[in-house]
Amino acid sequence: MAQPQVLARPKVTTMAAKRRQEALTGYMFMAPALVIFLVFLIIPIGAAVYLSFTDWNGITPVFDEGAYEQVGLDNYRDLLLGEHTEADGRVVKATTRQRDFFISLKNTTYYVLGVVPTQTLLALILAVIVNQRWLKAKGFFRTAFYFPSITSSVVISIIFMWMFTRGGLINTTIGAVFSGYDSNSFVNWLDDPRGVIHIILEQFGVTRANVGDWASNRSLGLTTWEWLSGPSVTMLTIMILNTWTTIGTMMVIFLAALQNIPSSVYEAAAIDGANAWRIFRQITVPLLRPTTFFVVTLGLIGCFQVFDQIYVISSGGPAKTTLTVAYMVYQNGFNRSAMGLAAATAIILFVIIFAFTLLQRLFVSERANV
Amino acid sequence: MRKLSVLTLVVVLALVVSAAGAALARQNVEITLMGWSSSTEENDALLAQVAAFEAANPDISVNVQLVPEYDTTIQAAFASGDSPNVFYVDSSKLPDWAEAGVLASGEGMIENLDDHYESLLEAFTYDGTLYCPPKDFSIMALQYNKDMFDAAGLDYPTPDWTWDDLRTAAEALTGENEAGQKVLGLVTPPNFERWLPFLYQAGGSVLNEDWTEVTLDSDEAREALEFYIGMVNDGIAGPPSMVDAGWGGEAFAQGRVALAMEGNWVISYLVEQFPDLNWGVTELPRHPAGGQASMVFTVCYGVASNNDYPDESWQLANFLTGPEGSQLVAEEGFGVIPPAISAADTWLEAIGPEIGEGFLAGAEYAHKWQFPVGFQDVFDTFNADLQLAFEGQYLAEDVIIDTIGVAEEVLAR
């Protein structure tokens, strides 16, 4: 259809106007994502920060008058110092909150120290294996290794619970292999609060009773002996579970990076006479450094926030040895009617994760510069 | 002209009909009832009750929501100001919710007060205000595996058993089953509420009457805790996980323990899933000096304070807990005991008197499961310490000192 040309007046557009127009179009395209980001991320984060300075119980409708009072830094003082002072000068003890917080921090730290290196290393090894040319049925192995990552963590946790009960698959299998390991000496994987380091020390005859008085020194609500417990047997079970489920994702990331390394580099090394181990050490690992940083960062964040496996398997028990910081946030918010405290716990967790990520970034980039 | 009048007639008729419809719609009120999902029988019985209520009150329709993760779901609903009209309230949650102001006061609203057990009404009274009518209740009693008692040549437990009888029997019943698995005399979950009957039987208490002082620092508390821990340390009792079970009822059902101290929720579990199990039930044993005690776990129908239809909500709550509603539950004869005293006989008949009486007897002397706001910290500390005590790492004295410390801190908050 021919439009009457005379009616269409040519628009006089300056460069600036055109740019504005383009920017507007750009923002329009971004709008859906921006709105979601704002509504489901920025506003909740802001709300959490705000609520961490209140004593909101998490039950009274939050917009009701008098639903909460401003308490300043009291929630943070409770968690970190174990007490706060009311406006009238009365000192309110919160030793339990402090103790629980540092117990959860200790448990989470052992968890992170155990899981992150293990899963990174195993994922790298698996990625290198499934990347080999000689490997038959690559597709099968890649799927098999990746499968745990895409299965619901609740389902996997329940299956693990069955495997690790006292009379379950794991114990029976070990019992079938080692004759001394019978049903009376079975490890109670899911309900054993003893620390792994404590158990190992005990094998060498080192116990709380004979180690000396320094072990009884208290810092931040816990004795030195308690700080050095290591993860409990139950926590170890959850660590094994989580390592196994996350390896797949990490492996896929490593695999993508491995396939990005040009084969010419390997060929050059082979011509220079490097053996397989040397190629791995001096070509593969250094070239994967950015990926390793990414994988470790993801692992750190994920591990610090571990929640669902704890919720399903142990609810923080036995004897609070699987109480993690993220689980404590949930407990404070929903079991103890202390949403303000829960928000403060979450903010501290955020600060910790942020600090670790920065630290690790510093570490990795320094190494890269050498 | 004629055409026009027909049209007018149609328009007028339509207006009248729609106006009548609007009036009807205004009368027809919808209220929401939220609870947690239980066994199929229990859910069906609730739906039957609600259907009976709707039939009796055609202008009210009830939207029943039985949700998983109830505590989390309803807390989110409260916090967002979108509370259901009527909802389940566990007696242990009552102080938190009453303090938060989400519960309407039941003073003057609850009917059939005479037909309710005093101990249940007391469990739903907080700070002198009665909040809600009890929905049902469960009482801890002693379950025993008849086959295992027969095999050991022991007499079945009786209501006048003392702690000593319990200990002796547990000792005799500990051993191994045919598959070579460990069998314990008694299952002792590492939970505060499971130990409390022993404390109360010994004459001890956790708090004073008006909840201002911690009274755990007593010989009675020490005696009760040493008894509970002692049985585990001596290898004749233990937590469910020691015999591959998730909870006491499961350990008992699978024949891995001879005695358990569960509430009547265990009935439908055992009857439906383990019909071959030959078991009996009697009251909890007494302290050697004669002290008798048990725990009652109960739930009520709370009415929201933030509520568009308070009258209709109370109508529903009263119907569900009244004589008629209770009968409907009682006839089904599953686990929980209906709240109305008048329905107790129907329940006993439906469930079988030998089973039912063992549980129901405790209604006379059972203590409520309710503590001040923030006491979750105390339970958690006690439970964690108790597990360490079961492992032999803590003494009863350590547990008591820790628990008192936390309890005093919580009261001072």
Side-chain angles (χ1 to χ4, degrees):
Chain A
M1 274 196 285
Q3 292 281 325
Q5 286 294 317
V6 264
L7 289 179
R9 261 193 299 168
K11 248 188 207 157
V12 186
T13 43
T14 60
M15 247 352 232
K18 199 174 176 192
R19 218 172 270 155
R20 220 177 300 130
Q21 182 82 36
E22 275 177 2
L24 191 70
T25 318
Y27 280 119
M28 292 278 277
F29 274 114
M30 277 161 64
L34 272 182
V35 168
I36 290 173
F37 183 68
L38 193 74
V39 171
F40 292 106
L41 219 66
I42 300 298
I43 295 178
I45 291 173
V49 173
Y50 176 76
L51 286 173
S52 74
F53 300 113
T54 70
D55 65 351
W56 187 43
N57 56 22
I59 305 173
T60 316
V62 69
F63 295 117
D64 275 15
E65 195 141 332
Y68 52 79
E69 274 169 40
Q70 302 288 344
V71 295
L73 287 170
D74 282 358
N75 288 326
Y76 294 92
R77 288 202 185 94
D78 277 2
L79 291 169
L80 300 172
L81 308 174
E83 60 179 45
H84 69 262
T85 315
E86 297 275 287
D88 55 10
R90 189 169 65 102
V91 175
V92 178
K93 286 269 170 209
T95 328
T96 322
R97 287 178 172 170
Q98 183 200 31
R99 205 179 124 82
D100 279 359
F101 177 70
F102 283 102
I103 287 177
S104 71
L105 197 60
K106 179 195 81 172
N107 294 336
T108 313
T109 310
Y110 279 122
Y111 181 87
V112 170
L113 286 179
V115 172
V116 174
T118 320
Q119 76 185 12
T120 311
L121 197 68
L122 288 178
L124 178 60
I125 294 172
L126 283 187
V128 170
I129 292 176
V130 297
N131 196 37
Q132 296 298 322
R133 253 182 237 137
W134 46 262
L135 187 75
K136 294 257 160 50
K138 257 182 227 171
F140 168 76
F141 284 111
R142 287 180 190 177
T143 314
F145 292 148
Y146 191 51
F147 196 71
S149 305
I150 52 169
T151 312
S152 147
S153 65
V154 173
V155 174
I156 294 258
S157 302
I158 291 173
I159 293 173
F160 252 66
M161 274 171 80
W162 289 334
M163 284 166 58
F164 278 91
T165 52
R166 260 179 84 97
L169 182 72
I170 300 292
N171 273 344
T172 342
T173 311
I174 303 177
V177 178
F178 301 100
S179 55
Y181 190 76
D182 57 38
S183 64
N184 291 320
S185 63
F186 275 174
V187 176
N188 201 348
W189 295 102
L190 297 175
D191 203 11
D192 188 342
R194 291 176 304 155
V196 171
I197 297 180
H198 283 171
I199 295 176
I200 295 172
L201 287 177
E202 210 181 312
Q203 299 299 314
F204 294 99
V206 182
T207 60
R208 168 82 188 269
N210 65 24
V211 77
D213 287 340
W214 61 267
S216 302
N217 291 338
R218 264 180 199 277
S219 44
L220 301 167
L222 295 175
T223 61
T224 313
W225 183 249
E226 284 172 301
W227 278 109
L228 297 176
S229 66
S232 70
V233 175
T234 308
M235 189 56 133
L236 190 71
T237 315
I238 295 175
M239 286 162 71
I240 295 170
L241 159 69
N242 213 39
T243 309
W244 180 64
T245 50
T246 352
I247 281 180
T249 317
M250 308 298 185
M251 180 199 75
V252 169
I253 299 170
F254 271 128
L255 194 59
L258 278 176
Q259 290 176 345
N260 265 340
I261 300 177
S263 54
S264 57
V265 187
Y266 286 118
E267 280 157 17
I271 290 168
D272 288 345
N275 60 16
W277 171 244
R278 247 190 114 184
I279 290 177
F280 178 73
R281 265 297 286 123
Q282 304 203 320
I283 293 179
T284 311
V285 173
L287 284 177
L288 283 180
R289 186 161 289 155
T291 315
T292 314
F293 168 72
F294 179 65
V295 164
V296 171
T297 309
L298 270 190
L300 270 179
I301 295 173
C303 285
F304 268 114
Q305 294 181 342
V306 58
F307 175 80
D308 23 0
Q309 293 86 349
I310 309 275
Y311 181 81
V312 173
I313 294 181
S314 64
S315 308
K320 295 186 184 175
T321 57
T322 61
L323 180 68
T324 59
V325 182
Y327 192 76
M328 195 186 162
V329 172
Y330 168 78
Q331 270 198 332
N332 281 335
F334 289 96
N335 297 344
R336 298 176 185 191
S337 315
M339 198 57 90
L341 191 72
T345 320
I347 300 298
I348 297 178
L349 179 62
F350 163 75
V351 171
I352 293 171
I353 295 177
F354 197 68
F356 265 93
T357 314
L358 280 185
L359 208 78
Q360 188 233 345
R361 194 181 159 72
L362 210 72
F363 177 71
V364 172
S365 59
E366 254 174 27
R367 293 266 315 263
N369 290 340
V370 173
Chain B
M1 196 58 206
R2 191 185 165 84
K3 213 173 179 182
L4 189 73
S5 61
V6 171
L7 191 70
T8 319
L9 195 70
V10 168
V11 167
V12 168
L13 260 177
L15 277 176
V16 168
V17 167
S18 68
L24 271 178
R26 218 175 297 127
Q27 265 179 13
N28 196 354
V29 162
E30 189 188 84
I31 55 178
T32 309
L33 167 66
M34 193 187 273
W36 54 79
S37 187
S38 309
S39 63
T40 324
E41 291 78 20
E42 214 170 319
N43 294 348
D44 288 349
L46 176 67
L47 293 178
Q49 276 182 299
V50 168
F53 173 76
E54 283 176 332
N57 302 275
D59 53 335
I60 306 175
S61 63
V62 183
N63 172 14
V64 181
Q65 297 179 349
L66 298 177
V67 297
E69 298 300 324
Y70 177 75
D71 284 359
T72 317
T73 312
I74 196 153
Q75 195 179 322
F78 287 149
S80 60
D82 188 24
S83 164
N85 303 83
V86 183
F87 46 86
Y88 291 9
V89 183
D90 192 280
S91 67
S92 65
K93 278 277 181 192
L94 183 85
D96 290 76
W97 292 359
E99 284 280 337
V102 292
L103 278 174
S105 162
E107 295 289 344
M109 305 303 287
I110 300 173
E111 296 162 7
N112 313 310
L113 281 175
D114 301 341
D115 201 20
H116 285 302
Y117 295 90
E118 195 62 37
S119 60
L120 298 189
L121 292 176
E122 207 249 328
F124 295 113
T125 306
Y126 180 73
D127 242 357
T129 307
L130 174 62
Y131 277 95
C132 45
K135 166 185 176 291
D136 55 41
F137 63 103
S138 296
I139 285 177
M140 266 171 81
L142 184 70
Q143 296 86 41
Y144 53 95
N145 186 320
K146 288 184 177 171
D147 290 341
M148 290 166 83
F149 270 78
D150 291 343
L154 295 172
D155 292 333
Y156 296 153
T158 56
D160 49 356
W161 257 30
T162 64
W163 292 6
D164 301 329
D165 297 311
L166 180 70
R167 233 200 108 91
T168 318
E171 217 165 331
L173 292 158
T174 299
E176 276 188 4
N177 62 13
E178 288 136 20
Q181 293 168 312
K182 183 187 279 184
V183 172
L184 293 172
L186 172 73
V187 60
T188 48
N191 298 109
F192 193 54
E193 66 271 27
R194 302 313 180 102
W195 168 70
L196 277 181
F198 291 94
L199 173 72
Y200 293 138
Q201 285 157 10
S205 59
V206 181
L207 296 169
N208 63 351
E209 197 84 339
D210 47 2
W211 284 1
T212 52
E213 242 174 88
V214 185
T215 52
L216 263 181
D217 190 8
S218 65
D219 292 341
E220 291 83 5
R222 285 185 180 79
E223 187 193 359
L225 196 55
E226 273 159 16
F227 177 72
Y228 201 71
I229 297 170
M231 287 192 295
V232 178
N233 291 346
D234 293 345
I236 58 171
S241 71
M242 201 179 267
V243 286
D244 310 330
W247 63 291
E250 189 187 345
F252 181 74
Q254 291 177 336
R256 300 292 301 277
V257 296
L259 292 156
M261 295 177 296
E262 295 293 329
N264 28 299
W265 54 78
V266 82
I267 301 176
S268 60
Y269 174 73
L270 293 180
V271 171
E272 278 159 34
Q273 302 193 31
F274 300 88
D276 297 335
L277 193 77
N278 187 11
W279 63 288
V281 61
T282 186
E283 296 170 55
L284 289 185
R286 301 155 185 257
H287 184 265
Q292 232 180 345
S294 182
M295 296 296 293
V296 56
F297 302 94
T298 175
V299 175
C300 76
Y301 284 110
V303 169
S305 60
N306 170 19
N307 199 334
D308 290 337
Y309 307 111
D311 295 336
E312 288 82 358
S313 301
W314 281 114
Q315 247 176 294
L316 175 65
N318 280 322
F319 178 85
L320 294 175
T321 59
E324 195 183 336
S326 287
Q327 284 294 344
L328 284 170
V329 177
E331 284 159 15
E332 295 297 321
F334 49 72
V336 290
I337 308 174
I341 299 172
S342 57
D345 287 336
T346 317
W347 181 79
L348 271 181
E349 206 173 296
I351 206 109
E354 312 131 68
I355 297 284
E357 262 157 21
F359 290 105
L360 200 55
E364 301 265 322
Y365 52 77
H367 293 247
K368 64 174 172 178
W369 171 230
Q370 192 177 70
F371 286 96
V373 175
F375 246 59
Q376 187 67 39
D377 277 335
V378 179
F379 312 148
D380 286 347
T381 300
F382 180 90
N383 297 350
D385 283 4
L386 188 60
Q387 278 174 319
L388 293 173
F390 282 175
E391 297 278 333
Q393 300 190 7
Y394 265 43
L395 299 175
E397 186 65 28
D398 302 328
V399 181
I400 288 189
I401 289 178
D402 262 13
T403 310
I404 292 172
V406 177
E408 284 177 343
E409 200 177 293
V410 171
L411 286 188
R413 258 179 213 159

